[in-house]
Amino acid sequence: MNRTPLNVLGTALIPCSYAPLTGYFRDGCCNTDMQDQGSHVICAKVTQAFLDFSLHQGNDLITPRPEYRFAGLKAGDRWCLCALRWKHAYEAGVAPKVVLESTHSRALDYVTLEQLQS
């Protein structure tokens, strides 16, 4: 039986973004499975500071990559982030704000609800 994925608040996971189309499955949601090695489970409204941080960490989220159905991000876009990348950004003081209703409950395997709410 398929169960509805839950968000970090314990309610049904709602979509993060369709424009740009996000999610490990490019379905608009921060859904995950065992194949998702990066755990793309945190829905965040990205900032330029975060995009710059991610670029300096070797993850270019700005440049379009059509072969991956990725248009490139700009400040203000919502995106399903890897849990550990968000945690590293949090520790560096540049974590973008999280959309709790759209953040998969698996995020709590990496960070606390209090961190996500900050």
Side-chain angles (χ1 to χ4, degrees), residues 26-107:
R26 293 296 189 263
D27 62 358
C29 294
C30 297
N31 285 310
T32 190
D33 68 9
M34 298 305 288
Q35 305 302 315
D36 179 10
Q37 297 296 315
S39 293
H40 296 77
V41 294
I42 296 180
C43 179
K45 186 174 180 180
V46 299
T47 61
Q48 192 61 51
F50 172 79
L51 292 171
D52 293 342
F53 173 81
S54 188
L55 181 63
H56 286 100
Q57 299 297 313
N59 186 18
D60 181 359
L61 296 174
I62 300 167
T63 304
R65 299 288 305 268
E67 67 271 27
Y68 298 113
R69 295 177 12 189
F70 179 66
L73 300 180
K74 62 185 180 316
D77 287 341
R78 286 185 176 191
W79 195 248
C80 294
L81 301 178
C82 295
L84 288 177
R85 173 70 69 215
W86 187 90
K87 183 178 181 179
H88 293 153
Y90 175 83
E91 291 166 349
V94 293
K97 292 290 183 190
V98 172
V99 182
L100 298 172
E101 297 82 3
S102 301
T103 296
H104 197 285
S105 60
R106 286 241 179 106

